[in-house]
Amino acid sequence: MTSSSSSSQATKRLAHSYPEGLRADALMEEDVAWSHEIDTERDGDQFDRSERAALRRVAGLSTELEDVTEVEYRQLRLERVVLVGVWTSGTVQDAENSLAELAALAETAGAMVLDGVIQRRDKPDAATYIGSGKADELRDIVLETGADTVICDGELSPGQLIHLEDVVKVKVIDRTALILDIFAQHAKSREGKAQVALAQMQYMLPRLRGWGQSLSRQMGGGSGGLATRGPGETKIETDRRRIREKMAKMRREIAEMKTGREIKRQERRRHKVPSVAIAGYTNAGKSSLLNRLTGAGVLVENALFATLDPTVRRAETPSGRLYTLADTVGFVRHLPHHLVEAFRSTMEEVGDSDLILHVVDGSHPNPEEQLAAVREVIRDVGATDVPEIVVINKADAADPLTLQRLLRVEKHAIAVSARTGKGIAELLALIDDELPRPAVEIEALVPYTQGKLVARAHTEGEVISEEHTAEGTLLKARVHEELAADLAPYVPTAAL
């Protein structure tokens, strides 16, 4: 409020200048309550109180389809949605970018965005998220557009969902539920489906609702006597118990799948194969980069969270060193903690890797926000000690000034284009330099009867030179300590 930002001197002047009854009105006058030290630092244009708190329409969010073939391609009835966000900090542009991302998420989930509004508040309203008055205005917008769903740009409490639905009279969901719905649509593997199901049940458990008979007591609360001694359970308690049982079962299944993936990782470690993880914001081009580097043939689509299931492929550096390249699930701002917890086993690929390729969309309006959001999740999974290369993708479509800014700020960065192949050769050379190298350099004359040791040097180490002589293979290589011990009997005496 304007009165809260007025200086103490202005308040004292008001106390002397106005009678008691007029002092409150005078405090609301902008010319009296204005403070040079505070008001000159405010963001954006200054409006009256009513205009500052009003719902503002965000232009350019409508995704209403006019092409009949596009409607037939989706083969579903698109939900007509209105987006609403609460702007608590930052600039107007930040708030509109966040709502634009929500619109992209809604379109990916199969919805038609009709309108989007944001409101400036210190914090979301505890009852209806945007306040009772603005909820009534939102109801008018819903009636005007014919929408059947309202999507809020934030995670709503169960009480906020109920109260806002009571006012707008249509279904209300939040950002978390929308992302969970997209994950449920795109999960293809058994593990991915189990992880999404666990996250959905974690989200659903505190939001179960019932009415009428569903809240009444169930019979059979006692030991099965004639009058069924004891009060028994309500229907909603039974539902919660069943969900907890299903969640426990899902956690056991995911733990079993994690064991299988851990065995594969141990096998790679045993063979000393370095691993590289591709992490980044959703739709930054991670799958396109994986395809360009390895020819993996992973699905590439201009949509958020198009690929969820992790893909691991074998690759080779320009010097001939083998390594694995793992594509991980995309990140997004305010990624629901349910998903971070459920996908923790998948994200462990990032923590166990020797190098992270942090892919960022160079053509995005604010790539720095993408970098910060991804690094927050990387910090959550405990991968802060892993070396990182920032790969600025889509360099062919990015603003040159944005590329220069990112390359100046991010000291260990490279600009590439997975679509055209620009910068890929330089990226491969950088990966070769950054991957950990075997610790021991050795020169050995390996008999031809021990050809398996030469093969291990190629797969597990780095061969510097190789020469075939009459006595055997003269090998010079960098290898790990275990292989160096196996090659030690064949090291020439002069080299010892």
Side-chain angles (χ1 to χ4, degrees):
M1 292 176 60
T2 308
S3 59
S4 64
S5 64
S6 61
S7 65
S8 59
Q9 290 82 1
T11 306
K12 291 177 182 178
R13 288 199 303 271
L14 286 172
H16 295 297
S17 304
Y18 290 89
E20 188 69 31
L22 300 178
R23 192 176 304 161
D25 295 334
L27 282 170
M28 302 308 298
E29 293 182 9
E30 206 166 65
D31 56 341
V32 176
W34 191 82
S35 169
H36 179 78
E37 293 81 9
I38 297 176
D39 289 42
T40 53
E41 296 180 359
R42 287 181 175 169
D43 56 320
D45 299 328
Q46 302 304 305
F47 303 100
D48 292 338
R49 278 203 318 157
S50 58
E51 293 182 8
R52 272 205 308 273
L55 293 175
R56 305 184 187 183
R57 292 183 184 272
V58 179
L61 292 182
S62 176
T63 58
E64 189 168 358
L65 301 178
E66 296 180 358
D67 187 356
V68 175
T69 58
E70 191 173 356
V71 178
E72 291 176 348
Y73 171 74
R74 293 195 184 185
Q75 294 181 345
L76 48 83
R77 178 188 176 277
L78 300 182
E79 287 194 51
R80 302 164 63 86
V81 303
V82 170
L83 311 179
V84 56
V86 171
W87 165 32
T88 57
S89 62
T91 64
V92 180
Q93 188 62 44
D94 294 336
E96 293 187 355
N97 286 343
S98 181
L99 210 66
E101 183 178 270
L102 187 68
L105 288 168
E107 187 177 2
T108 302
M112 181 195 304
V113 179
L114 303 178
D115 209 345
V117 294
I118 55 174
Q119 187 202 8
R120 184 72 161 106
R121 294 180 66 95
D122 293 334
K123 60 181 180 179
D125 182 68
T128 59
Y129 185 65
I130 55 175
S132 57
K134 295 301 179 288
D136 291 333
E137 293 182 32
L138 181 60
R139 170 61 178 163
D140 295 337
I141 295 174
V142 168
L143 290 173
E144 177 188 342
T145 57
D148 48 31
T149 304
V150 170
I151 304 179
C152 297
D153 191 16
E155 184 167 342
L156 272 60
S157 68
Q160 287 173 324
L161 280 171
I162 294 170
H163 292 145
L164 193 55
E165 276 189 357
D166 289 342
V167 177
V168 298
K169 306 300 182 186
V170 296
K171 180 172 69 175
V172 176
I173 64 173
D174 58 12
R175 184 188 184 94
T176 301
L178 179 62
I179 294 176
L180 287 171
D181 182 77
I182 296 172
F183 272 54
Q185 291 181 40
H186 291 180
K188 297 293 186 293
S189 68
R190 178 168 168 258
E191 183 174 11
K193 290 178 180 178
Q195 289 169 329
V196 173
L198 176 60
Q200 285 179 318
M201 284 186 284
Q202 285 177 318
Y203 174 80
M204 187 193 312
L205 186 60
R207 291 169 174 82
L208 286 179
R209 282 184 276 171
W211 58 91
Q213 290 297 319
S214 65
L215 291 175
S216 62
R217 295 285 176 184
Q218 302 289 300
M219 298 294 286
S223 58
L226 291 175
T228 61
R229 290 170 288 278
E233 293 179 301
T234 62
K235 177 67 166 61
I236 200 167
E237 288 171 342
T238 305
D239 292 341
R240 285 176 180 152
R241 176 166 51 79
R242 288 175 177 169
I243 288 179
R244 289 191 187 98
E245 291 172 355
K246 288 183 179 179
M247 287 171 60
K249 181 181 177 183
M250 287 291 180
R251 287 194 179 98
R252 288 194 297 270
E253 291 181 359
I254 292 173
E256 292 172 1
M257 299 174 199
K258 177 184 175 182
T259 303
R261 194 168 52 252
E262 180 63 29
I263 291 173
K264 293 178 183 177
R265 278 202 292 263
Q266 288 176 356
E267 188 71 12
R268 293 198 293 268
R269 292 194 203 104
R270 189 171 66 84
H271 290 292
K272 308 298 181 183
V273 179
S275 62
V276 178
I278 301 178
Y281 213 76
T282 180
N283 209 30
K286 298 184 300 301
S287 298
S288 299
L289 184 64
L290 179 69
N291 290 342
R292 173 66 68 172
L293 293 175
T294 66
V298 177
L299 170 68
V300 173
E301 187 178 349
N302 185 22
L304 306 187
F305 301 113
T307 51
L308 291 182
D309 304 316
T311 304
V312 180
R313 291 291 183 269
R314 181 175 289 248
E316 188 174 324
T317 65
S319 63
R321 300 171 62 200
L322 293 176
Y323 66 97
T324 59
L325 201 60
D327 184 17
T328 60
V329 64
F331 304 144
V332 73
R333 275 182 299 186
H334 313 303
L335 190 67
H337 65 276
H338 307 296
L339 280 174
V340 175
E341 185 62 33
F343 278 79
R344 184 171 295 275
S345 58
T346 303
M347 293 176 182
E348 284 173 359
E349 293 286 353
V350 177
D352 289 341
S353 63
D354 298 300
L355 180 66
I356 296 176
L357 297 185
H358 185 166
V359 184
V360 60
D361 183 358
S363 62
H364 191 270
N366 196 342
E368 287 85 359
E369 279 193 9
Q370 291 192 350
L371 286 167
V374 174
R375 282 171 176 157
E376 182 180 350
V377 180
I378 290 176
R379 188 166 53 249
D380 289 343
V381 298
T384 52
D385 297 332
V386 182
E388 175 190 69
I389 298 176
V390 176
V391 182
I392 307 169
N393 195 21
K394 306 183 184 180
D396 55 322
D399 182 7
L401 294 178
T402 303
L403 288 179
Q404 292 176 10
R405 186 179 74 244
L406 288 172
L407 290 172
R408 184 175 63 252
V409 173
E410 298 293 337
K411 302 304 181 184
H412 207 48
I414 184 171
V416 304
S417 172
R419 186 177 67 87
T420 64
K422 176 185 175 183
I424 296 298
E426 292 82 354
L427 176 60
L428 286 170
L430 190 57
I431 293 173
D432 199 358
D433 293 338
E434 291 296 323
L435 283 177
R437 296 181 178 276
V440 182
E441 184 172 330
I442 193 170
E443 185 174 352
L445 183 61
V446 184
Y448 290 118
T449 55
Q450 298 294 325
K452 62 181 179 180
L453 291 177
V454 178
R456 284 181 60 190
H458 279 278
T459 56
E460 302 175 21
E462 181 181 356
V463 176
I464 300 173
S465 65
E466 184 179 10
E467 182 183 352
H468 298 288
T469 67
E471 293 80 13
T473 304
L474 183 60
L475 186 70
K476 186 176 181 180
R478 295 183 63 89
V479 296
H480 53 83
E481 295 178 357
E482 181 182 343
L483 182 55
D486 294 338
L487 288 169
Y490 309 107
V491 175
T493 307
L496 295 175

